[in-house]
Amino acid sequence: QVQLVESGGGLVQAGGSLELSCAASGRTSRSYGVGWFRQAPGKEREFVAAISWGGSTYYADSAKGRFTISRDNAKSTVCLQMNNLKPEDTAVYYCADGAGTLIWGYRYWGQGTQVTVSS
Protein backbone atom coordinates (compact mmCIF):
# COMPACT_ATOMS: atom_id res chain seq x y z
CA GLN A 1 0.00 0.00 0.00
CA VAL A 2 1.46 3.32 -1.09
CA GLN A 3 1.01 6.20 1.33
CA LEU A 4 1.41 9.81 0.31
CA VAL A 5 1.72 12.76 2.67
CA GLU A 6 1.57 16.36 1.50
CA SER A 7 3.12 19.28 3.35
CA GLY A 8 4.01 22.92 2.77
CA GLY A 9 0.60 24.49 2.43
CA GLY A 10 -0.33 27.69 4.19
CA LEU A 11 -1.50 31.27 3.86
CA VAL A 12 0.33 33.58 1.49
CA GLN A 13 -0.35 36.96 -0.10
CA ALA A 14 -0.96 37.28 -3.81
CA GLY A 15 2.34 37.31 -5.66
CA GLY A 16 4.02 35.14 -3.04
CA SER A 17 5.42 31.63 -3.25
CA LEU A 18 4.96 28.27 -1.60
CA GLU A 19 6.62 24.92 -2.06
CA LEU A 20 4.53 21.81 -1.54
CA SER A 21 6.11 18.45 -0.87
CA CYS A 22 4.75 14.97 -1.37
CA ALA A 23 6.49 12.21 0.55
CA ALA A 24 5.79 8.63 -0.41
CA SER A 25 6.24 5.34 1.39
CA GLY A 26 5.36 1.75 0.63
CA ARG A 27 6.37 1.73 -3.02
CA THR A 28 7.92 -1.42 -4.38
CA SER A 29 8.97 0.09 -7.69
CA ARG A 30 10.83 3.21 -8.78
CA SER A 31 8.78 3.39 -11.97
CA TYR A 32 6.04 5.72 -10.82
CA GLY A 33 4.61 9.03 -11.75
CA VAL A 34 3.18 11.63 -9.42
CA GLY A 35 0.57 14.26 -10.05
CA TRP A 36 -0.69 17.28 -8.18
CA PHE A 37 -4.35 18.15 -8.23
CA ARG A 38 -6.34 20.79 -6.41
CA GLN A 39 -9.90 21.30 -5.32
CA ALA A 40 -11.43 24.63 -4.45
CA PRO A 41 -14.68 24.88 -2.44
CA GLY A 42 -17.66 24.04 -4.59
CA LYS A 43 -15.51 23.01 -7.54
CA GLU A 44 -14.34 19.74 -9.00
CA ARG A 45 -10.85 18.43 -8.41
CA GLU A 46 -8.58 19.57 -11.22
CA PHE A 47 -5.18 18.67 -12.58
CA VAL A 48 -2.28 20.99 -11.79
CA ALA A 49 0.97 19.26 -12.72
CA ALA A 50 2.52 15.83 -13.12
CA ILE A 51 5.92 14.26 -13.46
CA SER A 52 6.55 10.88 -15.02
CA TRP A 53 8.95 8.25 -13.75
CA GLY A 54 11.32 9.35 -16.50
CA GLY A 55 11.13 12.98 -15.43
CA SER A 56 8.82 14.37 -18.11
CA THR A 57 6.63 17.16 -16.78
CA TYR A 58 3.11 18.26 -17.60
CA TYR A 59 1.24 21.36 -16.48
CA ALA A 60 -2.26 22.72 -16.59
CA ASP A 61 -2.50 25.98 -18.50
CA SER A 62 -3.16 27.77 -15.22
CA ALA A 63 0.14 26.51 -13.82
CA LYS A 64 2.45 27.02 -16.79
CA GLY A 65 5.13 29.59 -16.16
CA ARG A 66 4.36 29.83 -12.45
CA PHE A 67 4.58 26.30 -11.03
CA THR A 68 7.44 23.81 -11.27
CA ILE A 69 7.19 20.13 -10.41
CA SER A 70 10.32 18.19 -9.54
CA ARG A 71 11.27 14.90 -7.94
CA ASP A 72 14.00 13.49 -5.72
CA ASN A 73 13.98 9.74 -6.25
CA ALA A 74 16.46 9.11 -3.45
CA LYS A 75 14.04 10.68 -0.99
CA SER A 76 10.85 9.45 -2.72
CA THR A 77 9.68 13.04 -2.72
CA VAL A 78 7.99 15.19 -5.33
CA CYS A 79 7.81 18.95 -4.90
CA LEU A 80 5.61 21.60 -6.43
CA GLN A 81 7.15 25.07 -6.39
CA MET A 82 4.43 27.67 -6.81
CA ASN A 83 5.38 31.25 -7.63
CA ASN A 84 3.35 34.37 -8.31
CA LEU A 85 0.38 32.88 -6.53
CA LYS A 86 -3.07 34.27 -7.21
CA PRO A 87 -6.25 34.20 -5.11
CA GLU A 88 -7.73 31.75 -7.60
CA ASP A 89 -4.98 29.28 -6.64
CA THR A 90 -6.68 28.88 -3.27
CA ALA A 91 -7.59 25.21 -2.86
CA VAL A 92 -6.71 21.97 -1.16
CA TYR A 93 -3.77 20.48 -3.03
CA TYR A 94 -3.43 16.73 -3.35
CA CYS A 95 -0.61 14.58 -4.63
CA ALA A 96 -1.36 11.23 -6.17
CA ASP A 97 0.44 8.19 -7.53
CA GLY A 98 -0.18 7.46 -11.18
CA ALA A 99 0.11 9.07 -14.57
CA GLY A 100 -1.55 11.53 -16.89
CA THR A 101 -3.78 14.51 -16.41
CA LEU A 102 -7.00 12.74 -15.47
CA ILE A 103 -8.11 11.82 -11.97
CA TRP A 104 -8.81 8.20 -12.83
CA GLY A 105 -5.19 7.77 -13.88
CA TYR A 106 -4.20 7.90 -10.22
CA ARG A 107 -4.65 5.15 -7.68
CA TYR A 108 -3.24 6.42 -4.39
CA TRP A 109 -3.95 9.87 -2.97
CA GLY A 110 -2.69 11.92 -0.08
CA GLN A 111 -4.94 13.71 2.39
CA GLY A 112 -4.27 17.14 0.94
CA THR A 113 -2.77 20.40 2.14
CA GLN A 114 -4.57 23.73 2.20
CA VAL A 115 -3.21 26.64 0.19
CA THR A 116 -4.84 30.01 0.76
CA VAL A 117 -3.83 33.06 -1.25
CA SER A 118 -5.07 36.41 0.01
CA SER A 119 -5.59 39.39 -2.25
Side-chain angles (χ1 to χ4, degrees):
Q1 181 82 14
V2 176
Q3 293 184 327
L4 303 171
V5 178
E6 303 94 339
S7 61
L11 173 64
V12 64
Q13 289 187 332
S17 298
L18 283 174
E19 184 178 54
L20 306 183
S21 293
C22 175
S25 61
R27 285 198 181 98
T28 59
S29 170
R30 285 181 168 267
S31 299
Y32 61 92
V34 173
W36 284 96
F37 291 76
R38 66 187 183 187
Q39 188 166 18
K43 295 187 177 181
E44 294 185 350
R45 194 169 296 190
E46 64 177 7
F47 171 77
V48 176
I51 188 164
S52 73
W53 69 270
S56 297
T57 57
Y58 308 88
Y59 296 95
D61 287 343
S62 59
K64 288 178 181 177
R66 299 189 300 127
F67 295 2
T68 302
I69 189 170
S70 61
R71 63 191 296 157
D72 184 336
N73 288 335
K75 297 181 180 180
S76 293
T77 301
V78 171
C79 292
L80 183 68
Q81 176 68 42
M82 305 187 296
N83 298 326
N84 190 23
L85 284 161
K86 304 174 182 180
E88 51 264 42
D89 294 317
T90 295
V92 177
Y93 283 70
Y94 300 89
C95 68
D97 212 55
T101 63
L102 302 176
I103 290 175
W104 49 82
Y106 292 81
R107 181 177 182 183
Y108 300 106
W109 292 79
Q111 293 300 306
T113 185
Q114 176 70 47
V115 171
T116 303
V117 184
S118 63
S119 57

